[in-house]
Amino acid sequence: MKINVNGQSREVDVAPDMPLLWVLRDELNIKGPKFGCGIAQCRACTVHLNGQPVPSCSLPVSAVGDGKITTIEGLGSPDAMSVVQAAWVEHQVAQCGYCQPGQIMTATALLSSNSNPSDDEIDTAMSANLCRCGTYPRIRAAIKTAASIIREIELLPTDAASAREGESS
Amino acid sequence: MSKLGTITRRTFLFGSVAIAGGLGFGFYKYKQPIDNPLKADLADGSSALTPYLLIDQNGISIIVPRAEMGQGVQTTLAALVAEELDVTLDQVNVIHGPASAAYFNAAVLEEALPFSSIDTGTMANGMRKFVHVPAKLLGLQITGGSSSVADAYEKMRVSGAAARNVLVKAAAQQLGVSTSSLRTENGSVISSNGETISYLELAAAAGAIKPDSELQLKPRSAWKILGKSQNRIDIPAKSTGAAEFGIDVDLPNMVYASIRVNPSLGAAMNSYDASKAQSMRGVKKVVEIDNGVAVIASNTWYAFKAVNTIEFDWATADYPLDTAAHLKAVEDSFTSDNQDSQFRDDGDVEKALKNADQIISAEYKVPYLPHAPLEPMNATAWLHDGKLEVWAGTQIPTQAVKEAVKITGLEQSNIKIHTTLMGGSFGRRLEMDYIIQAIKVAVEMPDIPVKLTWTREEDMTHDNYRPIGIARFKAVVGDTGPTAIDLQLAGASVNASQMGRLGIPAAGPDIAIVQAAWDQPYGVENFRVTGYRVKNDFPVSSWRSVGSSQNGFFHESMMDEIAHSKNLDPMQMRIGLMTHEPSRKVLEAVAEMSGWGTDLAEGHARGVAFSLSFGVPAAEVIEIAIIDGKVKIVNAFAAVDVGTALDPRNIEAQVMGGLNFGLAAAIMGDISIKDGQIQETNFHQYRSMRFYQAPAVEVRVLENGDRIRGIGEPGTPPAAPALANAIFAATGQRIRELPLSKHIGFV
């Protein structure tokens, strides 16, 4: 079957009930989404399906269809980070770093639908993602920084906004 | 492959000068220098100047032989070398490097001595020096005990200074000038008239030169990197999915394995039926290994799925079969024949208790806890061309080599351990179980690399746990504080259990049973702390802050009970009892930060606790609100003293993380046993702190201590008692058992 990952169509030959996570990791060598629990309890495996955060460990690949999958690799790279990733670096969020791809995917989905989330809204959006190192306060700070940058971009005229996006990535 | 754990063969290096034995510094006083482990791996005609430094055509690589499990050690230790070498952190690669006895950790054994970490007496200091010898002989390359910074502080700076020294000499020869006319900056030697030669250009010549036998380290006032917050080198990769953890290792033609081992820990497998698994999609092989079975497949998920279909007949555990029986074993161990230690016996406790008008007393309990790092146990092994390579997140790579020798019969020189980034550890990756399994599976699949990944269920139920424990105290309280305390602590020996698995004899008392209880710097006229050892075969291990994790709760809940029994302010009473200046100052700092004594909103309350662990005094205040009878943690304040703060922002992160780790366990951490098996299998049952539960955390880092200390663990012990004490302040309910959620609801 074919799946669309980070803008590319990829052919995979796997059991239809294989969770998307293991298709990404072991078949396509896309290692950003992490295995933590296998039962959607930790969300280290979070990817976007058509822009919505989903736990890829619990999503059979056959359910993806022609939906567009984005992984952490699809947001940016160490040399060209997304606004949210750059905010994570600015606030020095990561400790062990294992949950952070999932945290960033969830935060990115939140901010793309709400660029001015309240603390309660951040709590609600982020509480499915587990961090054992206890980095939550810095995650909150990074989300707020990213949100303010995104709001700035939104206020700019279109041309300037794309230039600004280029800068921060 | 990332650069982590890999030394590139393109390296062309300086001549061979091992600093071992060559320098007149205390840490290299042994007669026999240890070989520089980097030499074995270099291309012809190359070598490494020190065990901590390589220069190749791409630049400078600093070897940080300590495991990165989230504590930022790769950045802070690299900064020690970079500071003396005069390079910036963004000019260097940082790699873990090979497993080698040269990277032994001397500081880690100091914690096991029966001297308080702040005892600077002749006997205590003499013993500390003494344990550096067995540390070297054991050649234990270990990350743990919050010891990495203390161990590396001198030797890695000296290493940087030695390298700088020969680079300057090489430049002096090339330019025909004296070394005193040269200075160094940003990876180059610069002459008085401005000629600049990069270290890269000087590397080959510098390798043939011996460093001076006496090297001057920079005074603190000259530090450019140390003492200042750095951007951690691993964070960009960790924020983009580019970081390679053990579970991400990818090798040509690799296959994937998973495992099922008897859930009665350590017990045998009587029989199994894998006929269904054999024919499942993707399955390549089913192999029997210690007390269980591994399935090798073309995808981890196929292996998981196949393992689940295997039917087993398991042998029964050798330890008590349920939680109640484990608790009973602890209760029964408060006897003279189980006494393990009595390192503190000030004054005459018996007499003081006998003469007292009033005695307060109580009993406290804590449960078993798993480490549950978010990355499940995994390791990759590849037996090929008469060699074995292993990729694993491990805190003891030299032990992995020993295990590999035992299993394969290969020479040590044919075994290579690549230590990867680890997705948390908290003490879990001090164990060898998953590495041994991966090697055994690889032996069954010659020439093919095999990655073994545990399911979360296997991980949660096959840990080596923080011991269950009980504390009993009796105290006599005067007008300003306690005049007599008798504290008795019972638990299993983490040291005996862990060392037993590593095959290292562990004689004598286990300091962990009484750590952060017997050695607290409170002046109490009559004060006795007795440890009792629970003896059974249930596997226990070091869990972030080890014995301090439960004893902090016991000791500091007790101090709170003592204060409230005479209506004393718990903060002021502690400050008044302190005999150690840096400890008193962290309490004063946290009082100021938290506004201790000032009014709070209706339904809010504060609790304080103090623990000295791993040489670091740590004081924490937790502020809670009671909402509809439930506890909401609102704010947390922590003050710690590390002696010398190399990277303040990273220290803050560690204290914040350690505090949250302690709170998570205090609120809801619980592992129970039934029929010999762990009942909590995944994060829906072993619950951990979620985003909405995490308080705002403010941290202050002080530097009044006598020497430099590590900070991975000391933030944890005061968290649980500070929370429990806040609950008492708010509700009058004294909770004497963890997790607290057994007794009160949390928002």
Side-chain angles (χ1 to χ4, degrees):
Chain A
M1 74 188 81
K2 276 192 162 67
I3 57 172
N4 186 306
V5 185
N6 296 330
Q8 284 187 310
S9 177
R10 306 288 297 264
E11 178 69 37
V12 292
D13 178 16
V14 295
D17 59 342
M18 182 180 284
L20 175 62
L21 175 68
W22 295 110
V23 178
L24 295 171
R25 290 183 56 81
D26 288 2
E27 304 292 326
L28 300 177
N29 200 25
I30 295 171
K31 298 286 178 42
K34 296 293 188 248
F35 169 61
C37 70
I39 57 168
Q41 283 289 312
C42 76
R43 308 284 173 130
C45 64
T46 301
V47 301
H48 291 177
L49 179 62
N50 298 324
Q52 293 303 308
V54 293
S56 64
C57 76
S58 301
L59 182 71
V61 64
S62 56
V64 171
D66 56 5
K68 289 187 167 56
I69 299 153
T70 308
T71 71
I72 182 86
E73 291 91 343
L75 296 187
S77 65
D79 298 325
M81 289 186 211
S82 73
V83 170
V84 178
Q85 288 170 325
W88 246 248
V89 174
E90 184 185 333
H91 287 275
Q92 294 283 292
V93 173
Q95 290 189 23
C96 91
Y98 196 74
C99 74
Q100 300 301 345
Q103 305 277 4
I104 290 169
M105 295 310 287
T106 303
T108 300
L110 166 70
L111 293 171
S112 55
S113 65
N114 177 359
S115 60
N116 197 8
S118 65
D119 277 321
D120 283 350
E121 287 168 332
I122 297 174
D123 281 352
T124 304
M126 299 306 297
S127 285
N129 290 71
L130 195 60
C131 170
R132 288 282 289 154
C133 297
T135 64
Y136 300 126
R138 287 192 180 181
I139 291 176
R140 187 186 299 279
I143 289 174
K144 289 184 174 178
T145 293
S148 70
I149 292 169
I150 290 166
R151 289 197 302 276
E152 255 179 64
I153 295 167
E154 284 171 347
L155 290 174
L156 295 172
T158 320
D159 287 357
S162 44
R164 179 68 219 267
E165 268 174 352
E167 267 170 42
S168 57
S169 67
Chain B
M1 292 295 304
S2 78
K3 285 229 162 115
L4 191 86
T6 312
I7 291 170
T8 168
R9 296 214 166 251
R10 292 189 303 265
T11 305
F12 81 92
L13 276 183
F14 349 162
S16 114
V17 184
I19 59 169
L23 300 179
F25 285 86
F27 76 97
Y28 268 123
K29 65 189 167 191
Y30 308 111
K31 301 284 182 235
Q32 279 291 97
I34 293 170
D35 287 342
N36 182 341
L38 302 181
K39 286 195 219 161
D41 234 17
L42 299 173
D44 287 347
S46 332
S47 58
L49 180 63
T50 89
Y52 298 104
L53 190 67
L54 291 169
I55 300 184
D56 64 25
Q57 66 232 38
N58 298 321
I60 298 163
S61 296
I62 294 173
I63 286 76
V64 175
R66 295 289 175 262
E68 181 59 79
M69 42 197 166
Q71 77 283 42
V73 71
Q74 293 273 309
T75 304
T76 303
L77 265 50
L80 292 168
V81 178
E83 180 67 66
E84 290 294 336
L85 189 58
D86 272 336
V87 294
T88 59
L89 276 179
D90 54 17
Q91 281 180 305
V92 299
N93 289 319
V94 181
I95 56 179
H96 181 283
S100 170
Y103 301 124
F104 73 93
N105 184 338
V108 73
L109 291 185
E110 290 183 11
E111 264 301 307
L113 291 171
F115 297 99
S116 162
S117 54
I118 54 169
D119 181 349
T120 54
T122 315
M123 180 72 173
N125 280 340
M127 286 299 287
R128 282 188 194 113
K129 282 185 186 148
F130 176 76
V131 295
H132 292 199
V133 177
K136 184 201 174 206
L137 293 177
L138 285 171
L140 218 50
Q141 182 185 359
I142 183 169
T143 307
S146 297
S147 64
S148 295
V149 161
D151 174 68
Y153 184 52
E154 185 179 279
K155 62 189 178 189
M156 290 187 73
R157 283 187 300 151
V158 168
S159 171
R164 179 186 170 277
N165 181 255
V166 293
L167 289 160
V168 169
K169 287 184 177 188
Q173 283 175 7
Q174 193 174 317
L175 296 170
V177 298
S178 70
T179 54
S180 60
S181 69
L182 300 171
R183 64 189 175 91
T184 53
E185 200 178 301
N186 291 341
S188 294
V189 182
I190 303 164
S191 74
S192 54
N193 57 16
E195 284 169 284
T196 298
I197 315 176
S198 76
Y199 289 171
L200 205 62
E201 296 168 75
L202 293 165
I209 302 170
K210 285 205 173 194
D212 293 342
S213 59
E214 294 288 332
L215 293 167
Q216 193 82 40
L217 296 181
K218 286 183 188 176
R220 185 168 181 172
S221 56
W223 284 353
K224 294 176 183 164
I225 304 170
L226 299 176
K228 296 168 178 68
S229 296
Q230 302 298 320
N231 284 325
R232 272 177 56 164
I233 56 165
D234 52 345
I235 284 187
K238 285 177 173 178
S239 305
T240 50
E244 188 180 84
F245 297 87
I247 206 168
D248 302 326
V249 166
D250 186 45
L251 294 165
N253 304 315
M254 188 169 75
V255 294
Y256 304 84
S258 196
I259 196 163
R260 182 65 38 86
V261 167
N262 192 338
S264 290
L265 302 170
M269 175 176 69
N270 295 330
S271 65
Y272 70 100
D273 177 1
S275 48
K276 209 175 194 175
Q278 299 276 12
S279 60
M280 286 175 70
R281 182 166 181 179
V283 171
K284 294 181 179 295
K285 203 169 180 178
V286 177
V287 298
E288 195 178 321
I289 63 167
D290 308 336
N291 304 339
V293 170
V295 172
I296 301 150
S298 62
N299 183 300
T300 306
W301 186 74
Y302 289 137
F304 284 177
K305 206 178 170 187
V307 157
N308 278 336
T309 66
I310 302 175
E311 287 171 24
F312 295 95
D313 177 19
W314 302 121
T316 309
D318 283 339
Y319 46 78
L321 295 183
D322 59 37
T323 308
H326 281 253
L327 204 53
K328 176 82 168 45
V330 184
E331 284 165 356
D332 291 347
S333 66
F334 287 92
T335 61
S336 56
D337 53 328
N338 290 316
Q339 185 177 318
D340 191 66
S341 69
Q342 193 171 82
F343 298 133
R344 186 169 196 162
D345 188 9
D346 298 345
D348 189 338
V349 170
E350 288 300 329
K351 192 175 156 195
L353 291 173
K354 201 172 147 215
N355 294 340
D357 294 334
Q358 201 189 355
I359 293 173
I360 62 165
S361 64
E363 180 175 287
Y364 281 79
K365 287 175 206 166
V366 295
Y368 284 118
L369 293 173
H371 300 86
L374 202 53
E375 180 193 14
M377 295 304 104
N378 66 84
T380 301
W382 186 10
L383 188 65
H384 65 100
D385 306 312
K387 293 186 166 76
L388 176 77
E389 289 188 80
V390 175
W391 289 257
T394 172
Q395 293 174 247
I396 326 182
T398 47
Q399 186 70 24
V401 174
K402 283 184 194 159
E403 301 292 350
V405 167
K406 264 192 271 175
I407 297 164
T408 62
L410 291 169
E411 294 288 325
Q412 198 168 310
S413 57
N414 287 323
I415 289 161
K416 193 166 178 182
I417 309 294
H418 306 266
T419 302
T420 64
L421 288 176
M422 28 208 108
S425 182
F426 317 117
R428 180 60 181 88
R429 293 179 222 269
L430 288 163
E431 302 292 336
M432 289 290 130
D433 43 3
Y434 55 101
I435 295 173
I436 291 169
Q437 290 169 358
I439 296 170
K440 288 186 174 175
V441 174
V443 166
E444 301 280 340
M445 299 291 283
D447 301 321
I448 298 172
V450 187
K451 176 157 67 186
L452 170 72
T453 304
W454 288 14
T455 59
R456 172 56 59 190
E457 288 77 12
E458 195 71 7
D459 189 288
M460 196 70 85
T461 58
H462 292 80
D463 200 347
N464 302 274
Y465 301 82
R466 197 287 304 274
I468 191 170
I470 293 177
R472 293 171 178 167
F473 82 86
K474 289 179 190 157
V476 182
V477 189
D479 294 338
T480 57
T483 56
I485 295 174
D486 183 28
L487 178 59
Q488 305 185 347
L489 305 157
S493 169
V494 159
N495 192 41
S497 190
Q498 249 173 323
M499 292 299 138
R501 290 190 292 277
L502 298 179
I504 299 170
D510 183 358
I511 202 101
I513 295 172
V514 293
Q515 183 189 19
W518 80 278
D519 50 354
Q520 298 303 285
Y522 291 112
V524 178
E525 196 184 338
N526 306 287
F527 198 170
R528 185 170 66 192
V529 180
T530 312
Y532 297 93
R533 183 182 294 218
V534 178
K535 293 159 191 159
N536 66 42
D537 290 337
F538 188 78
V540 292
S541 107
S542 298
W543 183 93
R544 196 174 191 170
S545 81
V546 201
S548 312
S549 72
Q550 73 270 19
N551 293 334
F553 172 65
F554 295 151
H555 192 279
E556 289 301 289
S557 295
M558 173 186 80
M559 292 308 268
D560 214 60
E561 290 210 51
I562 287 170
H564 285 287
S565 74
K566 285 282 168 85
N567 288 319
L568 299 171
D569 179 273
M571 178 75 79
Q572 294 311 324
M573 184 191 83
R574 283 178 171 83
I575 290 171
L577 291 173
M578 275 301 160
T579 58
H580 178 238
E581 189 71 359
S583 294
R584 189 171 57 74
K585 285 183 171 159
V586 296
L587 277 165
E588 287 169 351
V590 87
E592 185 208 317
M593 290 160 69
S594 64
W596 187 269
T598 59
D599 290 342
L600 285 168
E602 183 67 28
H604 285 235
R606 302 183 186 98
V608 61
F610 166 91
S611 293
L612 170 70
S613 66
F614 306 93
V616 176
E620 294 174 4
V621 167
I622 303 288
E623 181 188 330
I624 60 166
I626 302 293
I627 300 169
D628 301 330
K630 290 183 172 181
V631 179
K632 162 96 182 152
I633 304 174
V634 182
N635 286 307
F637 305 89
V640 299
D641 196 311
V642 294
T644 302
L646 295 181
D647 188 333
R649 184 168 49 168
N650 189 53
I651 293 169
E652 286 167 22
Q654 287 307 296
V655 174
M656 173 183 80
L659 184 151
N660 280 335
F661 197 75
L663 288 181
I667 298 168
M668 59 197 127
D670 196 5
I671 282 290
S672 58
I673 303 164
K674 196 181 161 197
D675 301 328
Q677 305 181 5
I678 306 304
Q679 297 301 293
E680 292 74 17
T681 62
N682 206 321
F683 288 116
H684 65 301
Q685 291 165 327
Y686 182 77
R687 293 179 308 121
S688 189
M689 179 187 267
R690 296 284 172 176
F691 191 92
Y692 72 94
Q693 295 168 304
V697 183
E698 190 186 321
V699 178
R700 193 178 295 175
V701 182
L702 304 182
E703 298 183 288
N704 300 307
D706 64 330
R707 61 194 176 100
I708 192 163
R709 308 286 186 172
I711 197 64
E713 295 167 280
T716 299
L723 174 58
N725 294 343
I727 292 170
F728 177 80
T731 66
Q733 185 183 357
R734 176 62 66 187
I735 302 177
R736 299 192 177 93
E737 182 188 21
L738 297 184
L740 300 167
S741 58
K742 275 188 166 178
H743 303 275
I744 195 165
F746 281 81
V747 172

